Amino acid sequence: MKRKLVTKIISVAMASCMMAGMLTGCGSSGDTAGAGSTTSGGVKPLLTTVRRMQHQTMRQQTAQIQEAQMLLESL
């Protein structure tokens, strides 16, 4: 009997944590303004977010290539 009660309490606690995570967006980063405007603003804010992410990725790749070239030159 006690084991069933503990199991039920743990189940309710886990379900509550999962619901809280869903409601808060699982701790999304500082782009909350962009995410909110995407749902109400349509496709355009989403496209700008995607483009921003692509530019960041390209910058990171360029920096990695430059770092690799510098390492090769130093050898």
Side-chain angles (χ1 to χ4, degrees):
M1 184 78 163
K2 187 175 182 179
R3 185 178 182 127
K4 285 185 180 182
L5 179 65
V6 171
T7 304
K8 286 181 183 182
I9 291 173
I10 291 174
S11 299
V12 169
M14 290 178 65
S16 300
C17 289
M18 288 183 357
M19 181 64 78
M22 287 179 6
L23 292 175
T24 60
C26 297
S28 61
S29 64
D31 288 328
T32 54
S37 62
T38 301
T39 56
S40 63
V43 176
K44 190 171 183 177
L46 178 62
L47 289 176
T48 56
T49 303
V50 169
R51 287 184 186 131
R52 186 179 313 127
M53 291 171 62
Q54 288 173 341
H55 288 298
Q56 288 175 350
T57 303
M58 285 189 285
R59 278 187 247 135
Q60 289 172 349
Q61 289 174 348
T62 303
Q64 289 174 349
I65 290 170
Q66 289 173 348
E67 184 178 345
Q69 288 173 344
M70 288 176 21
L71 286 173
L72 286 174
E73 289 173 0
S74 66
L75 294 176

